[in-house]
Amino acid sequence: MKEQDIQAIHQLLSTPKKIAIIPHRGPDGDAMGSTLGLYHFLLKNNHQPVVISPNEFPDFLAWMPGSETVKIFEKDKTNCITILEEVELVFTLDFNALHRVGEMEKALEKLTVPFVMIDHHQSPDNYAVVTYSDTVFGSTCEMLYNFISFLGKKSDIDQTIGTCIYTGILTDSGSFRFPKTTGTTHRIIADLIDLGVENTEIPSLLYDNSTYSRLQLLGRALQNMKLLETSKTSYITLTQEELDSFNYIKGDTEGIVNYGLSIKGIVFAAIFIENAEEKIIKISFRSQGDFDVNLFAREHFNGGGHRNAAGGKSEVSMQETVRKFETLVAQLKL
Ligand code: 5GP
Ligand code: MN
């Protein structure tokens, strides 16, 4: 972080304020971890923070400290708009373009108070007075740890804040496996464990909470997997009908895309998930090595993300979406 940005944050936080903290729509472990971590930090520093999520967060994150205080914009619009109209400062975490909050974008655009962005995605938009944005980091939670440290407040990081930060680092690094995991990442994790963060319990809360129907859905997804071997690519489809038949709830498809990439020789994997209510096919892309799925998602599927993990959407049928994908993949040199 630049010295002048640190000074600007000191200035912004010099008196107690009402502060909104916003994750992206469809918040994941890093979005919830960073917003709740910041929430506890600001609370400790005599501010009045509130986390407003654009939509529901997945059940497997409901154990996180402070999650019971999170307001859900799409469920409680009038109340959330009233809160937003009263805040004096807004933090946006784990995203860098306001359209990532969906319907909430309009409400945010109306605000005249300063915004602060903390994020690790490529090509940040220019809406914040302080933009702490850096793609070298594997998670926004790792950046939040630095952010608090830059403010000279590292000693404020306690077990609660640490639990939130740990969760985001763990989930966004694929349990410390993805390429942006560094020695520094592990040193932060070591610090957090020394603070009492439950490093065996948290992965269990996140990942050992499956249900029979979720595993059955996984089974169907794996059976639906197609291999495009000459293109070193695999993809999975799940229709709304299939989701319904396995009593799908939010979060059930989390991580399934990675199975495609676990096949020896496969460097590009995708999953296409129908959302009948929103009339879209939601897509996740993963790659191993140099192939940039962020660019692929931006160019062809109205999305974005990181080099090795990105997402997008399609507004045509599953069949047409898959046909388009296969045509594009055939032209790639993977
Ligand atoms: P996931 O596939 O886990 O939903 O997302 C992987 C990465 O891509 C995340 O960093 C997420 O922020 C980003 N991403 C997912 N969907 C979209 C999208 O529709 N648009 C953009 N710009 N990024 C996305
Ligand atoms: Mn993230």
Side-chain angles (χ1 to χ4, degrees):
M1 251 180 116
K2 285 182 276 182
E3 189 51 40
Q4 75 196 62
D5 286 344
I6 298 169
Q7 289 316 320
I9 299 289
H10 273 302
Q11 188 61 37
L12 287 168
L13 297 180
S14 60
T15 52
K17 282 198 165 74
K18 290 184 177 168
I19 302 174
I21 311 170
I22 321 282
H24 54 78
R25 193 169 191 278
D28 55 8
D30 191 32
M32 292 302 290
S34 57
T35 52
L36 287 172
L38 181 62
Y39 166 82
H40 291 292
F41 170 74
L42 292 173
L43 210 54
K44 211 168 178 169
N45 283 273
N46 305 315
H47 297 284
Q48 287 176 262
V50 56
V51 176
I52 308 179
S53 176
N55 64 343
E56 292 273 15
F57 53 85
D59 269 1
F60 68 87
L61 297 173
W63 59 271
M64 293 189 71
S67 68
E68 69 287 352
T69 70
V70 175
K71 307 275 185 256
I72 310 292
F73 184 84
E74 288 175 20
K75 240 177 60 182
D76 196 8
K77 270 184 217 163
T78 319
N79 186 25
C80 287
I81 289 172
T82 308
I83 295 171
L84 284 171
E85 282 168 352
E86 286 177 2
V87 300
E88 297 153 272
L89 179 61
V90 177
F91 279 86
T92 66
L93 266 54
D94 201 35
F95 67 97
N96 62 19
L98 287 184
H99 66 83
R100 294 291 317 279
V101 301
E103 280 179 53
M104 196 178 172
E105 182 179 6
K106 282 199 197 78
L108 291 184
E109 277 173 349
K110 283 196 188 123
L111 303 182
T112 54
V113 299
F115 279 54
V116 175
M117 180 205 299
I118 307 177
D119 181 61
H120 64 134
H121 294 87
Q122 296 176 18
S123 324
D125 278 359
N126 188 22
Y127 60 76
V129 294
V130 173
T131 298
Y132 177 33
S133 163
D134 197 336
T135 60
V136 307
F137 294 104
S139 64
T140 301
C141 277
E142 185 168 337
M143 297 177 74
L144 179 64
Y145 183 94
N146 293 341
F147 178 85
I148 294 173
S149 306
F150 286 138
L151 295 178
K153 296 274 189 176
K154 192 167 156 181
S155 59
D156 276 3
I157 301 178
D158 53 16
Q159 191 188 15
T160 305
I161 298 172
T163 295
C164 298
I165 293 177
Y166 182 94
T167 301
I169 296 179
L170 178 81
T171 54
D172 255 28
S173 68
S175 303
F176 317 118
R177 289 176 55 206
F178 296 158
K180 287 179 184 174
T181 311
T182 62
T184 306
T185 313
H186 282 285
R187 276 185 285 275
I188 291 172
I189 292 296
D191 278 352
L192 299 180
I193 293 171
D194 287 346
L195 287 170
V197 170
E198 299 284 356
N199 63 305
T200 51
E201 192 191 348
I202 294 171
S204 183
L205 286 166
L206 291 167
Y207 300 123
D208 300 338
N209 59 359
S210 208
T211 57
Y212 179 73
S213 60
R214 184 180 178 193
L215 291 185
Q216 295 283 303
L217 176 64
L218 170 64
R220 172 59 62 89
L222 297 179
Q223 288 201 314
N224 287 353
M225 187 188 289
K226 296 271 188 303
L227 274 187
L228 306 171
E229 259 174 302
T230 50
S231 304
K232 299 180 185 159
T233 297
S234 73
Y235 71 87
I236 291 171
T237 55
L238 283 171
T239 62
Q240 185 71 58
E241 202 182 337
E242 288 173 310
L243 295 172
D244 292 344
S245 70
F246 294 104
N247 305 318
Y248 167 82
I249 57 161
K250 211 173 180 54
D252 276 356
T253 55
E254 197 75 28
I256 295 183
V257 63
N258 296 310
Y259 282 93
L261 214 52
S262 71
I263 300 173
K264 200 172 172 180
I266 295 297
V267 297
F268 182 24
I271 187 166
F272 300 87
I273 302 170
E274 186 179 10
N275 183 329
E277 197 186 327
E278 296 186 16
K279 297 196 175 64
I280 59 164
I281 310 288
K282 180 71 193 139
I283 315 169
S284 290
F285 298 110
R286 298 291 185 269
S287 69
Q288 215 158 55
D290 293 337
F291 179 55
D292 189 335
V293 287
N294 166 51
L295 283 183
F296 186 83
R298 266 173 203 258
E299 275 174 30
H300 305 296
F301 290 99
N302 193 21
H306 312 275
R307 188 182 67 177
N308 297 122
K313 53 184 168 299
S314 161
E315 281 162 12
V316 295
S317 70
M318 179 68 88
Q319 222 181 5
E320 277 179 82
T321 305
V322 166
R323 202 178 305 138
K324 173 178 169 182
F325 177 74
E326 288 205 8
T327 308
L328 288 166
V329 167
Q331 292 159 8
L332 296 172
K333 303 242 173 332
L334 291 172

